[in-house]
């Protein structure tokens, strides 16, 4: 890469797009973001008045213009302020960017959307986009800054990463792209920056089974999460699963407990969102930034605070 | 005393890995007349050849023995090296110590080394007896005969004619054009077949260097490359082509009894006994089909006409209408036509293919008029077809023709022919099928897509189903063509149709399988199109036999080498192209035709051909004229002549290939095969029999 | 929902095609294209999308490739009660790899949209829509213990705490097809 000349200290600012799951189910993820970003020099805007992205089972299943209109209202909240959105939920990331891609590709959709937005005195020009927190940390904040900012490191700890489908595909619609979406490296490198080992495992890019699949047929959904967990256990015997998606977080954490109860698995691997893990490493209160879970996390958090495994 | 140089090649590890080169060298050095022994990693490489040349130029050696791979591929290389250095190239001998030694005895190194010694010793023994020989040249006839006037034959003829060669284009049917003339439009560009073909037909017919022999067939072929003598039978046309202007006045006068299925329309309509194959025929001349003609006037050609009461001769309708008297029956005509003889230097076979008839496929209701072959579909959608391109179900073609007749006569008439709503295509009918042909016919996937596309574009409401085993559209532009079809909404179903059932209303119940959904499917179709296999013409074997070329197990003409000599045959001077060689599309047929033409050109252009002097010669003093040799010669090179009043064998040097059969058979040892004389071969055998010891001369 | 019994052991293509012509103004494939799967007809049934589809993996019947084929031959009725499209996780791995750029995900979602038109919509989806309209959140919880527990204000800075924004969102929804279809009460 060409080295950049004197990096100007540009103030980073993003609209924090929460989404339903983080707002109500996993607010500890929200709290983690509210802690780490200011500490890393990233300003957060609350994006007051934001709504559901809209998630896949709602307007996207009814019609495309409606989907885009709801998404455009959210995106416009950032556009009005001249900032991009930032999310820690892959579903939001996918829905907002797919919608934006459709509007940019098809002027007809864009103009229909703006006709609707006009009724509430808003407009969307396609400028503001939704960034993923993982990419903001990786690209805008940078691995060096992350390394400098942590108090605790993950020495000797093995993590299994779960970037999640909407972090990768369809690569065409996303503002940031993995070099090889079938062998994603960003989350692995982010974890390595914290001192962890984040090895490859065979089912790294496989779907966790969350979302529509889980609501339509939980039993079938559990087949996938079980396959994934077993692969993690067998191939890399991870101490911890780290994801950058709130949906994957819920599925891996929650379904794991159900599988244990049904006697389908006999192990337990704690699950954290990456922003939670980073917040812990930066020294924030685990109760606030990682206080909600089904599969117990205490041991691994203790391990981290005691300086890793070694 | 000859000075023999022996050059031993390591062939990388190929020889040196099994044969102890040093040991062999020491042995060879002691052989009689050997003055130089050298070895090298690759003798055939430039530096390797240079070693030999250097020794020759310095006068060190005057006989060369190379012990290396095989003379099959490398003898010409080393001969040339000798020649380049100023040595007669027949002072060269090769010992095969790789294919027949190191490779064969890879795990027995000692024995391999021993064998190599003996093989080289034998070669040295022969080299001592070598004689210088001179290359010979035979004159070549520069005319070419092209058999078959389809697109392949036309292109081959045109290329040759443009290059200045005289071409005889021999075509079996009354017109050139072949199967391409029957096609409506052609993939992958969908240009109209007649529009691109007709100008070429005219061009080839009018070319000053082309002599067109239509309605003619090859009867016999004699001679060899450069000098073939061909007998061609011009079939009896029963119409005087000098007079016939192709006006077509006679076409519709034959009575119904004299009407037979029209070949050009693939049997979808009838033609009279007197007919012109199709409107764009070249030459546009009528012929009378003697099997169909019922001799309306009650007389055959040359017979006295019957007369009316008032003594006027009774003429057949055709005679009557013909404005030029071309089909007059006054003169007798030889039913065997005329036999002519051509002398040509090379022959190109471009006799094409035929499609399988639907009658073979009992499971597909072949009796139904609405089950048709794809070639029939081409006729049905063609503007020159039985319905002028109007799409109706084939079972209603008779109704259409009736209607047309009435309208032409100026009568009021209503056409009551049914239009199809559903058309189903069935792939691989007779191809990829152990019961018929195991090969893939190669063009049907594309032409089915083509026909479906043409139909769908013209009639968007048609429901078209294509049942495929798999879609084969390899190469440039073809898969894109397939995509276009899909995007038109043609329903493409993976899975073959296993049965077609006739319904009382002449529609058809099609039973197929959808492999994607894993279920059998059924539908009612107005027309079922069978993509029947492309197969060799029935008379192809016979023609091949006359030409001394081979057909493969599947019945198409066989090329000399699939990869390296794709348009050559085992008979020198005879080339093949187009579908006679195997199923292929027009672009490939044309490419092959041009390849065949240029192969013939590069053969004939020099006007003479070098032949190796390694042929047999009869010593008339020893020959007793016993007559054993001539019948044995596979090339017919031997004849018996009078020498000093006695019968003696004589070998035609232009024909002899040096196979040696006669030499071995002659009880009087009167025949010498140059390069393999008795003395030379015996010296080799004796040397080996004595385990490498060469008998002193 | 039960996996459909709609598809008989032998598929009668003539019936399927005739029904398509008689009963609907548009062909199923045309509707699916209109509903967002623009490249539907390019599908060559290679099966790549099915090889990696989570739905195919766990035993749903009408996963991407098969659904596309059924649509291409004109099936519709038989598919309306099938749950598979509603299970699509929109992972879009299929879109990424399809050699014909069909975007099978779009077909799954277009099928959802077609089903919605025919009112073959699962209750859960209705719930989500109603919640979206009422609260601005498809997933909504009245209990706020979790937020309090981690030290956050009870209400997120969303439509949940901004009445004007909620009204804006409702206005938007009222101007979309959702309102046309009348799937949920909208005041
Ligand atoms: C239904 C159908 C559709 C097709 N559509 C297309 C298409 O769209 N595009 C495309 O590229 N290809 C198409 N093809 C293939 C195309 O027809 C062939 O590639 C092409 O016609 C081959 O030309 P040819 O000259 O080798 O053979 P032919 O066209 O068969 O010509 C051979 C000629 O030799 C004559 N002949 C035969 N035996 C003798 C003999 N013993 N002595 C003298 N003359 C003899 C024949 O009368 C004939 O005139 C199609 C084929 C079929 C069956
Ligand atoms: S005599 Fe003439 S008109 Fe009569 S059948 Fe023969 S060719 Fe036809
Ligand atoms: S080209 Fe196609 S239809 Fe013809 S035999 Fe081959 S695979 Fe079958
Ligand atoms: S990957 Fe694309 S072309 Fe292949 S079956 Fe799926 S949609 Fe069709
Ligand atoms: S997007 Fe839907 S159809 Fe495509 S692979 Fe994922 S679950 Fe299957």
């Amino acid at each position: 890469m060409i080295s950049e000349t004197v990096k100007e200290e540009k103030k980073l600012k993003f609209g924090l797009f929460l989404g339903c799951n983080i707002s109500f189910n996993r607010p500890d993820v929200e709290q983690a973001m509210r802690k780490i970003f200011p500490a890393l020099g990233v300003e957060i805007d609350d994006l007051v008045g934001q709504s559901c992205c809209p998630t896949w089972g709602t307007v996207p299943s009814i019609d495309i213009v409606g989907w885009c209109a709801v998404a455009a209202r959210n995106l416009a909240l950032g556009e009005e302020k001249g900032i991009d959105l930032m999310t820690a939920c892959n579903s939001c990331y996918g829905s907002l960017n797919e919608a934006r891609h459709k509007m940019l590709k098809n002027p007809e959709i864009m103009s229909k959307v703006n006709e609707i937005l006009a009724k509430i005195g808003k407009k969307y020009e396609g400028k503001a986009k939704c960034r993923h927190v993982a990419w903001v940390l990786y690209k805008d904040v940078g691995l060096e800054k992350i390394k400098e900012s942590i108090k605790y490191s993950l020495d000797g700890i093995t993590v299994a990463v779960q970037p999640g489908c909407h972090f990768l595909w369809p690569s065409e619609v996303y503002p940031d792209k993995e070099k090889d979406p079938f062998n994603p490296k960003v989350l692995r490198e982010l974890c390595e920056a914290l001192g962890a080992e984040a090895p490859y495992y065979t089912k790294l890019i496989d779907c966790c089974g969350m979302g529509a699949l889980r609501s339509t047929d939980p039993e079938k959904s559990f087949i996938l999460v079980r396959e994934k967990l077993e692969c993690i256990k067998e191939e890399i015997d991870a101490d911890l699963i780290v994801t950058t998606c709130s949906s994957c977080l819920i599925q891996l954490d929650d379904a794991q407990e159900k599988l244990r109860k049904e006697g389908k698995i006999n192990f337990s691997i704690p699950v954290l969102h990456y922003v939670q893990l980073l917040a812990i490493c930066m020294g924030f209160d685990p109760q606030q930034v990682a206080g909600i879970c089904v599969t117990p996390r205490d041991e691994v958090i203790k391990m981290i605070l005691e300086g890793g495994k070694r | 005393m000859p000075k023999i140089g022996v050059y031993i090649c390591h062939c990388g590890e190929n020889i040196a890995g099994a044969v102890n080169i040093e040991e062999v060298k020491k042995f060879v050095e002691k052989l009689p007349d050997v003055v130089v022994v050298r070895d090298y990693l690759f003798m055939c490489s430039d530096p390797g050849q240079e070693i030999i040349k250097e020794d020759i130029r310095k006068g060190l050696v005057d006989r060369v023995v190379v012990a290396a791979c095989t003379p099959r591929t490398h003898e010409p290389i080393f001969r040339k090296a000798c020649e380049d250095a100023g040595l007669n190239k027949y002072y060269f001998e090769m010992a095969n110590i790789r294919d027949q030694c190191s490779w064969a005895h890879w795990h027995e190194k000692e024995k391999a080394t021993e064998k190599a010694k003996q093989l080289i010793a034998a070669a040295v023994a022969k080299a001592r007896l070598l004689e210088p020989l001179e290359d010979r040249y035979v004159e070549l006839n520069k005319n070419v005969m092209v058999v078959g006037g389809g697109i392949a034959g036309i292109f081959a003829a045109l290329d040759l004619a443009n290059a200045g060669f005289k071409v005889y284009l021999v075509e079996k049917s009354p017109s050139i054009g072949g199967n391409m003339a029957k096609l409506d439009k052609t993939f992958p560009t969908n240009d109209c077949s007649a529009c691109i073909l007709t100008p070429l037909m005219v061009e080839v017919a009018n070319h000053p260097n082309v002599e067109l022999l239509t309605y003619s067939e090859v009867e016999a072929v004699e001679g060899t490359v450069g000098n073939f003598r061909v007998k061609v039978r011009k079939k009896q046309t029963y119409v005087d082509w000098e007079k016939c202007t192709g006006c077509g006045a006679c076409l519709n006068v034959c009575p119904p009894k004299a009407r037979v299925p029209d070949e050009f329309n693939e049997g979808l309509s009838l033609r009279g006994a007197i007919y012109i194959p199709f409107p764009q025929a070249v030459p546009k001349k009528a012929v009378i089909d003697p099997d169909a003609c019922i001799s309306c006037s009650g007389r055959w050609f040359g017979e006295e006409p019957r007369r009316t009461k008032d003594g006027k001769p009774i003429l057949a309708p055709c005679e009557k209408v013909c404005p030029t008297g071309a089909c007059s029956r006054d003169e007798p005509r030889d039913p065997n036509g005329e036999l002519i003889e051509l002398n040509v230097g090379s022959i190109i076979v471009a006799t094409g293919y035929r499609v399988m008839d639907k009658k073979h496929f009992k499971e597909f209701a072949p009796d139904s008029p609405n089950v048709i072959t794809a070639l029939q579909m081409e006729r049905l959608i063609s503007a020159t077809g039985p319905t002028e391109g109007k799409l109706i179900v084939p079972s209603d073609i008779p109704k259409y023709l009736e209607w047309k007749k009435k309208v032409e006569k100026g009568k009021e008439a209503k056409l009551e022919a049914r239009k199809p709503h559903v058309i189903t295509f069935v792939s691989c009918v007779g191809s990829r099928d152990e019961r018929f042909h195991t090969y893939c016919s190669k063009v049907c996937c594309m032409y089915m897509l083509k026909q479906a596309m043409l139909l769908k574009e013209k009639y968007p409401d048609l429901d078209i189903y294509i049942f495929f085993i798999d879609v084969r559209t390899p190469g440039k532009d073809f898969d894109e063509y397939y995509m276009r079809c899909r995007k038109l909404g043609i329903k493409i179903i993976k899975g073959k149709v296993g049965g077609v059932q006739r319904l009382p209303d002449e529609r058809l119940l099609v039973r197929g399988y959808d492999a994607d959904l894993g279920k059998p499917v059924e539908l009612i179709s107005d027309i079922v199109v069978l993509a029947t296999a492309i197969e060799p013409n029935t008379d192809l074997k016979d023609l091949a036999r006359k030409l001394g070329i081979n057909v493969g197990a599947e019945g198409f003409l066989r090329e000399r080498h699939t990869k390296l000599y794709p348009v050559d045959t085992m008979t020198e001077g005879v080339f093949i192209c187009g579908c006679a060689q195997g199923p292929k599309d027009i672009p490939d047929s044309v490419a092959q035709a041009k390849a065949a033409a240029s192969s013939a050109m590069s053969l004939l252009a020099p006007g003479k051909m070098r032949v190796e002097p390694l042929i047999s010669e009869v010593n008339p003093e020893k020959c007793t004229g016993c007559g054993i040799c001539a019948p044995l010669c596979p090339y017919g090179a031997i004849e018996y002549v009078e020498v000093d009043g006695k019968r003696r064998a004589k070998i035609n040097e232009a024909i002899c290939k040096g196979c040696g059969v006669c030499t071995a058979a002659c009880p009087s040892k009167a025949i010498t095969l140059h390069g393999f004389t008795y003395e030379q071969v015996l010296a080799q055998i004796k040397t080996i029999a004595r385990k490498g010891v060469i008998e002193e001369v | 929902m039960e996996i459909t019994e709609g598809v008989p052991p032998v598929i009668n293509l003539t019936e399927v095609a005739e029904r398509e012509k008689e009963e609907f103004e548009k062909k199923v494939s045309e509707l699916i294209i209109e509903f967002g799967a623009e490249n539907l007809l390019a599908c060559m049934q290679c099966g790549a999308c099915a090889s990696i589809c989570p739905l195919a993996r766990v035993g749903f019947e009408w996963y991407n490739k098969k659904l596309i084929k059924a649509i291409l031959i004109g099936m519709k009725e038989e598919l309306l009660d099938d749950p598979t499209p509603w299970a699509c996780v929109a992972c879009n791995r299929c879109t990424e790899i399809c050699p014909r750029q069909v975007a099978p995900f779009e077909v799954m979602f277009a099928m959802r949209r077609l089903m919605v038109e025919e009112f073959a919509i699962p209750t859960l989806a209705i719930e989500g829509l109603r919640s979206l309209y009422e609260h601005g959140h498809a997933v909504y919880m009245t209990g706020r213990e979790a937020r309090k527990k981690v030290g956050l204000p009870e209400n997120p800075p969303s439509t949940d705490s901004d009445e004007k924004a909620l009204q804006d969102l409702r206005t938007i929804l009222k101007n979309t097809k959702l309102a046309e279809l009348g799937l949920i009460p909208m005041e």
Side-chain angles (χ1 to χ4, degrees), chain A residues 18 20-21 23-25 27-28 30-31 34 46-52 55-64 66-67 69-70 73 98 102 116-117 119-120 122 165-166 168-172 181-182 203 205-207 210 212-213 215-217 220 223-224 227 287-288 291-292, chain C residues 3 35-36 38 54-55 57-60 83 86-93 95-97 105-106 109 112-113 116 121 124-125 128-129 132 136-141 144 146-147 149-152 156-160 162 164-165 167-169 171-173 175-178 181 183:
Chain A
L18 295 170
C20 310
N21 269 328
S23 298
F24 302 113
N25 264 325
D28 51 346
E30 177 183 339
Q31 188 59 289
R34 291 190 182 281
D46 258 354
L47 227 52
V48 174
Q50 56 175 290
S51 72
C52 173
T55 190
W56 304 95
T58 63
V59 218
S61 303
I62 311 296
D63 84 319
I64 289 175
W67 169 10
V70 175
R73 197 192 69 88
E98 286 246 11
K102 284 185 177 7
I116 299 175
L117 287 183
K119 296 191 197 291
I120 57 165
K122 284 193 182 295
C165 304
H166 283 124
L168 306 170
W169 309 300
S171 54
E172 197 191 357
F182 299 95
K203 295 196 169 157
I205 56 171
D206 284 21
C207 173
M210 188 49 174
L213 178 48
S215 45
T216 305
D217 191 331
K220 287 196 165 78
I223 300 176
L224 293 179
E227 280 183 355
Q287 277 308 314
Q288 290 205 340
I292 303 169
Chain C
I3 296 239
F35 290 159
E38 290 154 28
L55 308 183
R57 188 165 187 88
V58 298
F60 278 96
W86 294 98
C88 168
V89 293
C91 70
N92 269 302
R93 189 164 170 180
T95 306
E96 188 80 9
I97 59 156
F105 147 78
E106 298 285 4
F109 268 62
R112 284 192 187 185
R113 292 168 199 142
V116 167
I121 174 170
L124 260 177
L129 286 163
L132 176 66
H137 285 287
V139 178
Y140 189 72
M141 261 165 227
R144 298 299 157 88
R147 290 190 66 83
K149 181 183 166 199
V150 300
L152 286 172
S158 66
T159 41
D160 195 40
D162 182 341
K164 159 92 175 50
Q167 288 310 328
D168 279 358
L169 177 68
T171 309
I172 287 179
L173 291 174
N175 281 288
T176 65
K177 193 160 173 189
L178 180 60
L181 293 169
L183 288 174

